[in-house]
Amino acid sequence: MKIVLFDHSFEGLLSAVFEVFHLKLKEAKLIGQNNHTASFFDEEIWVSTDQEKAARVAKGIVKVGGKSDLTWLYRCFLSELAEVPQLILEYIRQLMVDKHSGKNDFSRNVVIQLQKINKMIGREKHRMDAFVRFEKTADGLYFAGIAPDFNVLPLNAKHFKNRYADQHWCIYDVKRDYGLLYNLESLRHVHLPSVNANLHSTPSNLLAEDEVAYKKLWKNYFESTNIQERANKKLHTQHVPKRYWKYLSEKYILDY
Amino acid sequence: MNFDRIKEKLSILADAAKYDVSCSSSGSKRTNKKKGLGDSSGMGICHTYTADGRCVSLLKILLTNHCIFDCAYCVTRKSNDIKRAAFKVQEVVDLTINFYRRNYIEGLFLSSGIFKNADYTMERLILVAKKLRLEENFNGYIHLKSIPGASDDLMYEAGLYADRLSVNIEIPTQNGLKLLAPEKNREDFLKPMKKVRNEIVKYKSEKKLIKSTPVYAPAGQSTQMIVGATNETDAQVMYTAAHLYKKYNMKRVYYSGYVPISYDSRLPAIGTEVPMLRENRLYQTDWLLRFYGFSIEELLNQKHPNLDSDIDPKLSWALRNLHLFPVDINKADKQQLARIPGVGLKSVYKILQARKYRKLGWHHLKKMGIALNRAQYFILCDSRDFLKADMSPQQIKSKILAQGNSKYKPLFNSQLNLFE
């Protein structure tokens, strides 16, 4: 068994796939470099990221499976799960051998596993669309920290750009330490060294004057719209699992 | 802005609006224009969930809870001794915009008690929507209530600014309405509904010819019925719903289990349990009508005027029609597949896709996530292990129920015993 290592980028992963095909490796295992523990028996190959090779693999996938296949694999990749590179390799292999097979063959294990991961990604992306809570800062920026299970922020970009086209906003992934900043014109990646890892921890002197008042109004609305007679704790936590409560200012006890 | 006063109004007017169940924010095609605020072209988003497990996607409030009517089932009825309040138009606009900018909501759902008269009230609702669209360049979702009895001109104008319009018929039967809201008659509800339907039809045909036709209520119209307030049968509720879908092109009909709010002897007493299981079965039936190709007569009829509470309506139908089963998973068409208990539309899609590549056996179906505990009694697949097809409906039902683990189980034990 050959262990093929890459640098955790999507292009790196595709470059590694390229090498597997190029070297005609029958039995290869694709692993992100940080997830690998060296063992005595396996032979390791380190593949450096090569944009050209990655582009060739991407082109091949699009040619056989269509553009949607490539997006689908990219979404699965964003899960950062250790087993995903291998699944992607297996999927591409199958795709190249049997050109009719695709991501809709629900009778195959690889497909079912990747579909499952894709669904998890979709759900997490959608949750971020829903649970982001902007705080308006004193200088007019709408800021929100997030800490999603998977690296879905790139998938959220379009949604927020379309929606908040007339306000300055920033969504920051505190777990992965990068964010998206929108300046009415375009989006860019930012790294803010001073961001606190706790959500909703912006000191109140940095907030806009009416920010706390609106937070309170929102919490007030949230409580008034509940129907006591229909209380259903189980359903509630099913929709909003506890790990997401940290996003929701309406579930906080406000201590301003 | 006086936040304390707003806060008080908000709690009164949100509390009064909460019995309206519609919270849908999808189905519109309104995109962001000229770098304005908001976009409602995508799927609906639930921004949070209340402790009762219901989704919150819109700021759902009444403009006022002053009302000239005295409908027994309604919490804002004239004779009810509660705090009253009214928002100013600008206050609703500010709340909506500020909540939207913070990503709390998808938009506004504005309803109102009827003050002065229907047209006066409707005008105020339109004013809010108009301000949001024209002054704030707001492209989020707006759901306006059509006030029963409002004039056609106003209903036309409402549709120019709102994504969805709705008028709640509330009581499924004519007799029930006479009993609980003697001042209202069904015609008042149907009039704005008809106007909106006609305008939507007109818009759709004109749009084909003239591209610049102004958009009219792109997310269609919906309505709501209270269930369990009068002694209506499930058949009465669902036949009314089916009629509304067919004749009024409703996008949605909502069913709201009656929450007792009155000591009125015409209504269930305070403390009576909200019929949530019944509500659930009605929604399942609604889905079967809209997406699964069932006709209402198949699910509810003279012989079966009420839905079973212990099993879902599709399973119930299948048990009455065992002669149509088993269905061969590898051969049956889409419609037949959709009628198998335990097989939903997503499973149908997976089966149709997967069987292009190979014949499907039990293990394939299981991996796809099909609810085999129900489906297994109704299908054939690529396997030698067939379940004996000579079981009676009662046998199948008790087998399925024995495996099931519904939280409502205590509610339907008694009925089970009757069956056997």
Side-chain angles (χ1 to χ4, degrees), chain A residues 94 98 100-109 112 116 119 125-126 128-136 142 159-167 182 184-186 208-236 239-240 248-251, chain B residues 1 3 6-8 10-12 14-19 21 32 35-40 43-56 58-61 94-95 98-106 136 256-257 259-261 274 276 279 346 349-351 353-355 357-358 360 364 367-368 407-408:
Chain A
Q94 179 69 33
D98 173 8
H100 298 290
S101 166
K103 64 178 187 299
N104 287 331
D105 184 356
F106 290 93
S107 53
R108 271 174 50 214
N109 266 336
I112 285 185
K116 220 182 230 166
K119 196 171 171 186
K125 184 257 176 199
H126 190 74
M128 290 307 119
D129 286 345
F131 297 155
V132 156
R133 294 283 181 272
F134 285 119
E135 289 178 305
K136 191 179 180 188
Y142 287 82
H159 170 82
F160 284 98
K161 196 176 163 216
N162 286 342
R163 170 165 299 216
Y164 299 112
D166 71 339
Q167 72 191 46
Y182 177 73
L184 304 187
E185 291 296 322
S186 58
E209 207 184 324
D210 54 3
E211 179 56 31
V212 173
Y214 276 111
K215 254 190 202 172
K216 283 184 180 167
L217 282 178
W218 170 239
K219 189 181 164 69
N220 179 264
Y221 171 72
F222 176 71
E223 281 158 8
S224 309
T225 196
N226 179 39
I227 300 180
Q228 210 72 54
E229 292 88 338
R230 298 181 59 113
N232 193 343
K233 191 91 191 154
K234 196 180 158 203
L235 186 61
H236 174 75
H239 286 307
V240 199
L248 308 175
S249 58
E250 66 271 19
K251 295 192 81 58
Chain B
M1 209 156 156
F3 281 107
I6 296 282
K7 195 172 154 192
E8 198 188 348
L10 186 59
S11 25
I12 295 170
D15 185 82
K18 70 187 179 186
Y19 300 102
V21 279
N32 192 308
K35 287 231 166 195
L37 172 64
D39 185 290
S40 39
M43 58 174 98
I45 296 176
C46 303
H47 284 274
T48 190
Y49 292 84
T50 48
D52 55 24
R54 297 184 313 153
C55 132
V56 179
L58 303 172
L59 171 63
K60 193 191 295 180
I61 47 174
D94 289 343
L95 266 180
N98 276 291
F99 277 10
Y100 194 87
R101 285 200 183 282
R102 287 165 176 79
N103 205 40
Y104 297 164
I105 52 169
E106 286 295 282
E136 306 285 340
S256 171
V259 180
I261 40 109
V274 182
M276 279 158 59
E279 202 182 277
K346 279 188 183 155
Y349 174 76
K350 286 183 192 168
I351 291 169
Q353 292 296 330
R355 76 184 188 187
Y357 301 98
R358 59 188 62 78
L360 306 177
H364 293 126
K367 273 206 176 125
M368 283 179 210
K407 66 179 167 189
Y408 292 116

Side-chain angles (χ1 to χ4, degrees), chain A:
Chain A
M1 177 73 86
K2 292 248 170 46
I3 305 289
V4 184
L5 298 171
F6 68 100
D7 66 357
H8 291 276
S9 70
F10 190 56
E11 287 77 13
L13 169 59
L14 294 183
S15 309
V17 172
F18 183 93
E19 287 306 324
V20 171
F21 278 86
H22 183 67
L23 301 172
K24 297 199 169 72
L25 301 177
K26 283 238 168 59
E27 285 192 22
K29 196 151 196 267
L30 242 60
I31 305 179
Q33 55 182 345
N34 299 336
N35 295 329
H36 177 58
T37 358
S39 93
F40 185 74
F41 304 99
D42 300 319
E43 194 187 326
E44 293 164 16
I45 305 173
W46 158 253
V47 178
S48 58
T49 301
D50 182 323
Q51 299 296 343
E52 209 173 296
K53 286 176 185 166
R56 272 178 67 184
V57 175
K59 211 174 145 195
I61 296 169
V62 172
K63 200 173 157 197
V64 183
K67 213 173 159 188
S68 66
D69 264 35
L70 186 63
T71 330
W72 183 64
L73 293 177
Y74 173 64
R75 285 166 61 99
C76 293
F77 161 79
L78 290 178
S79 72
E80 301 169 328
L81 294 169
E83 71 269 25
V84 162
Q86 187 62 21
L87 289 171
I88 290 181
L89 173 66
E90 277 175 46
Y91 179 79
I92 297 175
R93 257 195 176 143
Q94 179 69 33
L95 189 69
M96 297 303 162
V97 174
D98 173 8
K99 310 212 162 180
H100 298 290
S101 166
K103 64 178 187 299
N104 287 331
D105 184 356
F106 290 93
S107 53
R108 271 174 50 214
N109 266 336
V110 180
V111 172
I112 285 185
Q113 284 182 67
L114 284 172
Q115 287 287 12
K116 220 182 230 166
I117 292 165
N118 187 53
K119 196 171 171 186
M120 281 156 53
I121 290 285
R123 219 181 269 153
E124 189 72 356
K125 184 257 176 199
H126 190 74
R127 278 175 177 146
M128 290 307 119
D129 286 345
F131 297 155
V132 156
R133 294 283 181 272
F134 285 119
E135 289 178 305
K136 191 179 180 188
T137 60
D139 50 10
L141 175 76
Y142 287 82
F143 180 85
I146 58 170
D149 292 355
F150 311 118
N151 185 20
V152 291
L153 186 53
L155 302 176
N156 294 107
K158 198 175 147 206
H159 170 82
F160 284 98
K161 196 176 163 216
N162 286 342
R163 170 165 299 216
Y164 299 112
D166 71 339
Q167 72 191 46
H168 290 265
W169 55 263
C170 175
I171 303 175
Y172 203 83
D173 185 336
V174 295
K175 210 157 145 188
R176 295 168 186 83
D177 201 14
Y178 81 99
L180 290 177
L181 179 72
Y182 177 73
N183 63 359
L184 304 187
E185 291 296 322
S186 58
L187 270 177
R188 65 189 174 91
H189 278 248
V190 285
H191 170 67
L192 306 172
S194 60
V195 164
N196 195 316
N198 294 324
L199 308 177
H200 302 287
S201 58
T202 319
S204 49
N205 63 326
L206 293 182
L207 293 175
E209 207 184 324
D210 54 3
E211 179 56 31
V212 173
Y214 276 111
K215 254 190 202 172
K216 283 184 180 167
L217 282 178
W218 170 239
K219 189 181 164 69
N220 179 264
Y221 171 72
F222 176 71
E223 281 158 8
S224 309
T225 196
N226 179 39
I227 300 180
Q228 210 72 54
E229 292 88 338
R230 298 181 59 113
N232 193 343
K233 191 91 191 154
K234 196 180 158 203
L235 186 61
H236 174 75
T237 35
Q238 196 177 312
H239 286 307
V240 199
K242 284 198 174 139
R243 66 181 185 281
Y244 296 98
W245 289 14
K246 59 179 178 275
Y247 294 94
L248 308 175
S249 58
E250 66 271 19
K251 295 192 81 58
Y252 267 74
I253 316 289
L254 294 176
D255 48 358
Y256 294 106

Side-chain angles (χ1 to χ4, degrees), chain B residues 84 208 352:
Chain B
R84 306 276 167 173
K208 279 181 203 144
L352 288 174

Side-chain angles (χ1 to χ4, degrees), chain B residues 73-199:
Chain B
Y73 52 81
C74 180
V75 73
T76 55
R77 64 186 178 281
K78 189 170 62 181
S79 62
N80 202 14
D81 182 24
I82 49 165
K83 270 193 185 172
R84 306 276 167 173
F87 273 124
K88 288 182 194 138
V89 169
Q90 191 58 43
E91 288 171 344
V92 178
V93 171
D94 289 343
L95 266 180
T96 308
I97 294 291
N98 276 291
F99 277 10
Y100 194 87
R101 285 200 183 282
R102 287 165 176 79
N103 205 40
Y104 297 164
I105 52 169
E106 286 295 282
L108 174 68
F109 179 169
L110 190 61
S111 177
S112 183
I114 298 169
F115 50 107
K116 283 195 185 165
N117 58 50
D119 277 355
Y120 187 84
T121 311
M122 196 67 224
E123 265 171 32
R124 290 292 164 293
L125 297 185
I126 294 171
L127 205 58
V128 173
K130 195 172 174 179
K131 259 197 154 167
L132 280 167
R133 294 284 188 235
L134 302 184
E135 286 175 24
E136 306 285 340
N137 195 5
F138 177 71
N139 302 296
Y141 193 90
I142 299 180
H143 179 160
L144 288 188
K145 191 106 280 184
S146 313
I147 302 297
S151 72
D152 283 0
D153 290 350
L154 288 175
M155 288 325 299
Y156 172 70
E157 203 187 353
L160 296 179
Y161 305 115
D163 294 286
R164 169 166 289 182
L165 292 160
S166 69
V167 50
N168 291 351
I169 67 165
E170 302 292 19
I171 303 298
T173 60
Q174 296 258 25
N175 288 341
L177 191 67
K178 219 177 249 168
L179 179 72
L180 297 177
E183 306 156 294
K184 281 187 178 167
N185 63 60
R186 184 145 277 191
E187 261 319 293
D188 290 342
F189 296 98
L190 297 181
K191 192 176 154 243
M193 215 184 253
K194 271 182 198 150
K195 175 68 182 169
V196 172
R197 174 201 59 195
N198 295 344
E199 283 300 330

